[in-house]
Structure formats: structure tokens, C-alpha cells
Amino acid sequence: MIRSLAAALFLSTAIATPLIAQDAIRSKPTALPVDNAAPTPKDVPYPGGTIRLEVDATDTVQRIFRVKETIPVASSGPMTLLMPQWLPGNHAPRGQIEKLTGLTFTADGKPLAWKRDPLNVYGFVIDVPQGTKQVVASFQFLSATQPNQGRVIVTPKMLNIQWESVSLYPAGYYTRQIPVQATVTYPDGWQAATALRGKATGSTVAYDVIDYEALQDSPVFAGRYFKPVDLGHNVTLNIVADDADELNATPEQIAHHKKLVDEAGALFGTYHFNHYDFLFAITDEMGGIGLEHHRSSENQVEPGYFKKWGDGDALLDRNLLPHEFTHSWDGKFRRPDLLWTPDFNVPMQDNLLWVYEGQTQFWGYVLGARSGLFTKQETLDAYAHIAAKLDTTRGREWRPMEDTTHDPIISARRPKGWSSWQRSEDYYNEGLMIWLEADAIIRQQTKGAKGLDDFAQAFFGINPGDWGQVVYNRGDVIKTLNAVAPYDWTGFFQKYVDSTTRETPKGGFTLGGYKLVYGDTPGAITKAAEGSGKFTDQSFGIGMIVKNDGEISNVVWDSPAFKAGLAIGSKIVAINGDEYSSDVFKAAIKSGKPMQIILKQDKYYRTLTLAYSGGLRYPRLEKMGEGEGSLDRLLKPKT
């Protein structure tokens, strides 16, 4: 189309000058310089001396920890005290600053004014007067009284102290250079367990002086009903429970836990601790946790762990201890270089969590099988369930697996409406599948002479007895793998970690003598998950999980259920004219005919048709060929 010259000139002027026209009516400030009050941490001893930390943990009704912290100082002037923000094992800034209240500072009995650092709200700035030898901080930590306030850590029967919630530390120093002596007063008659050691006087325990880094890494479980069990190799299973009868385990059950410790030592070749304490809560009152530490771990399972050993709920809980124990080697001793930080306010970078968590997930299931906490068949069922679930993750088409390592920061484990498209922390289980394939490749390359066990000893088994940290990067992982079995490991990780994919890696199955198939009967793990969660899981075919009351708890992106217009939170009222039940749902799927569904979403009702003819689909691993494959050999005990 030909424009007139005048029209063209007018158009070019209008396009060229809109910002100039706006400038006439907009004020334009200039950015001010940013002044970060907190000094950069240095690897030098804290000059003030040993901090004295006193915690009163006796209030189990209002669930308030009362804290007095005496901080020696070596000089006057500005000083920043920090509450930990970036927490190891959380892989994200999860410090509960909102629960720190009533904060006061005094010097020689006189109050000191404080000011919060606006660039880091976990920092409190004070001005230390000339001649002051110590500053006293007093405050309360208001632990959750309801789950909607955060994880419940105090009940009338037990409590969990995480030191990052009840302490401050001086900025400007590596936390391993800050000595602390902690004292806790517990409710009368309670017993406490921690990786710390100390001396009890009545209900008060004065713990030995230790550096702040190790203090944070040594939480406490305490309770009215408590029982320690010696597992050998200086490892103790410290059981705390809601009721006394939950403490009783059979000799056979304890033998499996002792074998876990034996098998871990045989796998890695050494123990990286002088002692280790499983902090193990059997409760439905205190909030759930599975958190690694170097010489301990925090673990919560539902009541019935020992009492209902053969039931589904207890079966699902038995993967927790092998996973967290593995972390003493993988994650705590050997740690990605950008996940290690000099203090708890320097941001972490999570890129290598597919090693830190993914290989831990791998070894957790292997050690579970080798110790007998899982049978071999239960382990194979778990692998099948994991692989099938990952194949429903359509978000892999746009989001590489490595990007999910940032999910602890991105979403902070908040619920997701379309998790199969958004992806979550897939580095755990997809990492497991990657390492399962790596093991099979090593066994194939070496004609069965070596496996990932050899990598574990070479990578995690160095420096016997060392409970510090040795950092690594991806290059170090590849170098060690090549020393075990030369292969294109760089390309292997580029394919599975850095690139988008259509499905989860399954070479660990096919090279190991198995294949993933589907049938109409759930395996042990899927059945246990359905029973525990009170739902029907048909993610693998029709594409949804439905609770026993008809509420839809998950819809797989682009599945038949998705295309029919279903969404999380909706409730199926009826199918083909029959009131919803899990049996009605399964019968409708088996029929292969379109379903007429009455659906309630919020306060609205609608009727829709869901066409699906694939029948019930549950995953399982099917043996290929005769004899023992590499996957069979991987799961065999070493002791």
C-alpha cells in the first residue's frame, strides 16, 4: 500500500517521540548507593571469645522458647548480629525470622538500641559502647501452635530444637570460627538426644563448647517417652514417641537397622563421624521432617512404625532413615562447592542437587534393599512407581531437570496446581533414575567388575573419620566416574541433566535386565501409597488421582482427564449416574466406555464426558531373560 508523504511523516513522528512526550509529566529520581551493613565473612577466629547460649524449653503449652545469649565482644562500634537465613539441607532461605520476638540487647545492664538491616531483615545492628566486654541478647522464639503457622516442633510429649531458630551469631566470620557453649533446660523427666555431648544437672544440660557451624548442624529431639538403641559403629537410634508402646521394636526389626549401618560402612568404606545419632520421632502430633546433618538426622514417621511393620504406612516410612543416613557422606561430607557457604546468610546455589539429593535417593533405596528394610520386590516396585510417575511429568518438555534444582527457592514447596507441567523437585527421583543408569553403564563397560559402589568409595570414602566438608564440582564427578569406567559422562549428563527430555532415563532397567510395563494390579508401593493417602492413583493412564471422597488431587497435563476439563480441587459427585466411590471409578475405567461425570467445582456444578479406553494402568518391572542381571546384583547385600 502506498502512503502519502504527509501521512508517512506524521506516522514517523508519532513513533519516534512518545518517551519525550511522557518526560514532560514524569519526575525521575536518581538511585541512591546501596550500603550493606553486614561485613563479608572472613576465615579468622571470632575475637570476642565463646558465646554462651541459654535456652529455656520448658513451655510445652504455649510452645515458646525463651533465649538468653551472652556475646563477648573485643571492640566497640557497629556490630551486626544475624539469625540464620540460608539453611543447609533446606537448600533455600527458610529461617523463621517472623517467629523471633521480644528482642532486647543490653551492655553492662544498660539497654542498647538496635536497628534491623533493611537489606537483610535477618540482621540486627547495634552500637557497642566503649569498654563493653559482652552484650546480652534476650528474645523468644514463638514456635508454631498450629500447622498453618509452620511446622509444629513442640507438643506435650516431645520437642525439636533447631539451633538456628534460637540463636544469633556475629556477622563477619566463618561460622566454624565462632565458639558457642549451649545450655538447655528441658521439661522435668524428659530425655534429649543430639550429636552434641554435655553434662546434665537435673533437667538442664550444659553442652560442650563447639563452633557455631557444628552447633547448627546438631539439633535436638527430646521427649517424655524416649529410648536409645545401639546400632553399632557408634551409631544410636534415639526413639521418641507419643506413647510408650511405640518404643518397642522386635529384635528382627532392630537387626535391619543395624544392618543398614553395616551396609553403609561397606558401601562407602569409612564413616565420616565420631558418633552418629538418628533422631527418630514416631508421632502424628509433631510436624513431619526428614533432614540431614553430618553426625545426626531429624526423622519423623507416623505411629505404627514398629507396631504395624507389615502395613503400607510403615512400608512407605522405611525409606527415610537410609536416605538421611546416606547424607552423612553425600551432602554433608562431600558437598557441591556452591552449596557450601561460609555462614548462614550467604546465598546457596543449588545446581548440583542431582548429585547431593539424587544420588542420595539412589543409595537410600539400595541400602534399604541391602539391609532388608525393603524386600527386593518392594524395591523393584518402588523403582517402577518412581519411573512411571516421572513419565507423567510433561513439564520435562520445556524445563530441563537441572532447573528443578532451583525449585526449593522458586516455590519453597508450596502446593502447585499443575505439578506435572510446572515440575517440582524432580532432581530427587529423576536423579535416582540417572544414577541407576550410570550404575548399569559402569557394569556393562567393565563386564560386571565394577559398579557405582566403586564410585561411592572413590568419591565419598576419602579421608576416613573426617567430619568436615570436601567440596566438588561437576568436573570432579566426571573425573571420578572416568577413573572407574571410561565413558562419555560429559555427554551423558548433558543429555539427562541439561536438556529437555521426553521421558525419564530407563537404561538402569533395560541394561539391568528389566523393563517397565503396566497392568491392572498395583505393586506394593503404589498400593501402600493409595492406602495411606486414601486415594486412587490413575496418573499413568487416564491421568488423575482422586481421593476416596471424590476430590481430585492431581491432574496430569494433556492427559485424557486434562482434556476433559478436570482440575485439582474439583469433586466428582457421580460417574454414569452412580454416586462416586473408588470402586465406581475403577469400574468405569475398566469398561473402556466414555464416562458421564457430574462435577462440583467450588459452588458450581457441571456435567462432562471423559473419553478413555486404556483401562486401569499400574506400573511394574518385568524381568527380561534368564539369570541374574546387573540390577539384581546392585541390590544384593555386601555384608
Side-chain angles (χ1 to χ4, degrees):
M1 180 169 57
I2 299 174
R3 298 181 184 272
S4 69
L5 179 59
L9 288 172
F10 176 80
L11 182 61
S12 65
T13 301
I15 292 174
T17 61
L19 293 180
I20 296 174
Q22 293 179 33
D23 284 349
I25 57 172
R26 293 180 66 188
S27 299
K28 300 169 70 175
T30 300
L32 297 173
V34 175
D35 182 17
N36 190 345
T40 301
K42 296 179 181 179
D43 193 9
V44 297
Y46 174 62
T50 301
I51 294 172
R52 298 198 309 277
L53 177 65
E54 301 168 70
V55 180
D56 182 343
T58 58
D59 187 349
T60 61
V61 176
Q62 294 181 309
R63 304 179 182 184
I64 299 169
F65 293 109
R66 292 174 171 82
V67 180
K68 177 183 177 182
E69 186 169 0
T70 303
I71 305 155
V73 295
S75 61
S76 59
M79 180 181 192
T80 299
L81 292 158
L82 299 167
M83 183 182 187
Q85 177 182 11
W86 288 81
L87 305 179
N90 289 260
H91 317 311
R94 299 281 178 83
Q96 299 182 76
I97 188 67
E98 78 283 359
K99 293 183 172 65
L100 188 155
T101 61
L103 179 63
T104 63
F105 292 100
T106 60
D108 298 321
K110 298 177 181 178
L112 296 179
W114 61 265
K115 181 173 63 176
R116 196 183 298 264
D117 181 353
L119 296 177
N120 178 7
V121 296
Y122 288 75
F124 303 94
V125 183
I126 61 175
D127 191 7
V128 178
Q130 189 72 33
T132 298
K133 300 299 183 184
Q134 59 186 33
V135 170
V136 177
S138 299
F139 59 91
Q140 304 89 42
F141 181 78
L142 309 181
S143 77
T145 56
Q146 292 291 319
N148 63 4
Q149 302 164 17
R151 176 173 163 261
V152 172
I153 61 171
V154 180
T155 79
K157 300 173 183 177
M158 67 179 67
L159 62 81
N160 174 199
I161 294 176
Q162 295 175 318
W163 299 104
E164 63 266 20
S165 297
V166 293
S167 62
L168 305 173
Y169 68 93
Y173 305 90
Y174 280 30
T175 50
R176 68 185 180 208
Q177 294 277 20
I178 304 170
V180 183
Q181 191 274 309
T183 300
V184 182
T185 301
Y186 297 102
D188 290 340
W190 286 29
Q191 296 183 67
T194 171
L196 303 176
R197 295 296 183 259
K199 181 179 180 181
T201 303
S203 297
T204 299
V205 179
Y207 294 105
D208 298 340
V209 174
I210 200 166
D211 62 85
Y212 190 78
E213 178 186 78
L215 178 75
Q216 188 278 338
D217 199 39
S218 306
V220 178
F221 274 17
R224 179 181 302 168
Y225 304 113
F226 180 96
K227 182 179 182 180
V229 179
D230 182 6
L231 300 182
H233 302 283
N234 294 317
V235 178
T236 304
L237 179 66
N238 299 282
I239 311 168
V240 61
D242 291 337
D243 300 292
D245 62 350
E246 293 283 356
L247 304 175
N248 299 320
T250 68
E252 182 183 9
Q253 291 166 347
I254 294 302
H256 289 308
H257 292 80
K258 288 182 176 181
K259 191 166 177 60
L260 168 63
V261 178
D262 293 339
E263 288 290 339
L267 167 63
F268 295 112
T270 188
Y271 297 97
H272 288 297
F273 47 75
N274 51 358
H275 53 260
Y276 187 95
D277 287 270
F278 284 109
L279 311 180
F280 189 59
I282 304 176
T283 177
D284 56 8
E285 297 179 24
M286 191 166 76
I289 193 169
L291 188 60
E292 67 272 15
H293 302 280
H294 203 138
R295 300 185 299 161
S296 64
S297 56
E298 297 168 273
N299 309 273
Q300 178 271 334
V301 297
E302 293 296 304
Y305 180 83
F306 293 120
K307 292 168 61 178
K308 302 177 181 179
W309 186 259
D311 291 0
D313 286 8
L315 175 63
L316 296 176
D317 281 335
R318 290 207 289 275
N319 180 243
L320 179 60
L321 295 184
H323 180 98
E324 301 305 341
F325 193 42
T326 297
H327 269 314
S328 181
W329 292 264
D330 182 3
K332 302 309 292 186
F333 173 60
R334 293 304 306 265
R335 194 175 308 180
D337 50 6
L338 298 179
L339 260 172
W340 180 88
T341 56
D343 73 359
F344 303 121
N345 287 75
V346 173
M348 300 172 183
Q349 298 179 53
D350 291 347
N351 300 71
L352 280 169
L353 282 177
W354 51 273
V355 184
Y356 179 125
E357 293 288 4
Q359 197 171 137
T360 294
Q361 190 80 329
F362 169 84
W363 288 124
Y365 277 99
V366 170
L367 289 174
R370 291 179 182 178
S371 66
L373 288 169
F374 282 90
T375 67
K376 177 183 173 183
Q377 186 57 52
E378 288 165 347
T379 305
L380 295 176
D381 287 344
Y383 287 155
H385 182 88
I386 286 168
K389 277 287 188 183
L390 288 167
D391 276 351
T392 70
T393 306
R394 298 295 303 274
R396 67 176 60 254
E397 297 169 19
W398 70 272
R399 189 178 182 191
M401 190 278 285
E402 190 195 38
D403 191 60
T404 72
T405 65
H406 303 298
D407 226 51
I409 303 170
I410 293 169
S411 65
R413 296 188 172 174
R414 291 184 292 268
K416 294 184 176 182
W418 302 100
S419 59
S420 63
W421 186 238
Q422 294 165 281
R423 301 197 78 170
S424 294
E425 295 178 42
D426 291 348
Y427 55 86
Y428 277 92
N429 281 333
E430 189 116 335
L432 179 157
M433 296 300 296
I434 289 170
W435 290 111
L436 197 63
E437 183 163 326
D439 175 77
I441 289 171
I442 294 171
R443 293 174 188 272
Q444 182 186 61
Q445 294 294 106
T446 63
K447 302 186 185 319
K450 295 180 179 179
L452 205 64
D453 289 67
D454 297 275
F455 171 86
Q457 287 210 13
F459 199 73
F460 301 111
I462 61 173
N463 303 0
D466 182 355
W467 55 280
Q469 304 95 29
V470 178
V471 299
Y472 63 86
N473 55 34
R474 186 188 291 206
D476 297 322
V477 175
I478 292 170
K479 180 180 178 181
T480 307
L481 283 168
N482 275 318
V484 174
Y487 187 74
D488 181 17
W489 295 110
T490 298
F492 178 80
F493 293 130
Q494 287 174 344
K495 176 182 177 181
Y496 288 137
V497 175
D498 302 329
S499 305
T500 56
T501 57
R502 294 294 300 179
E503 59 181 296
T504 194
K506 298 189 184 70
F509 297 161
T510 56
L511 294 174
Y514 290 84
K515 64 179 178 179
L516 181 66
V517 298
Y518 291 86
D520 60 6
T521 303
I525 298 300
T526 306
K527 183 178 180 181
E530 286 188 325
S532 176
K534 297 180 173 56
F535 56 66
T536 299
D537 187 352
Q538 281 299 293
S539 306
F540 322 107
I542 198 170
M544 60 177 170
I545 299 175
V546 187
K547 295 180 181 179
N548 292 351
D549 65 357
E551 182 182 339
I552 298 170
S553 61
N554 190 44
V555 175
V556 175
W557 189 268
D558 213 27
S559 67
F562 177 89
K563 293 174 180 177
L566 299 176
I568 290 177
S570 303
K571 189 169 186 177
I572 300 175
V573 178
I575 298 177
N576 298 331
D578 293 325
E579 183 180 19
Y580 179 84
S581 71
S582 59
D583 289 339
V584 167
F585 181 43
K586 291 177 183 178
I589 294 175
K590 285 182 180 179
S591 74
K593 299 176 181 179
M595 301 181 199
Q596 301 301 315
I597 296 177
I598 298 176
L599 192 74
K600 181 183 180 184
Q601 188 168 3
D602 300 322
K603 60 181 180 179
Y604 305 100
Y605 289 82
R606 57 191 173 104
T607 302
L608 55 86
T609 300
L610 200 170
Y612 173 72
S613 58
L616 290 172
R617 279 171 59 85
Y618 288 107
R620 72 176 190 277
L621 289 185
E622 185 176 273
K623 181 76 172 174
M624 297 190 299
E626 300 293 329
E628 188 179 60
S630 63
L631 183 53
D632 299 311
R633 290 190 288 273
L634 171 68
L635 300 179
K636 290 177 67 173
K638 295 175 73 72
T639 63

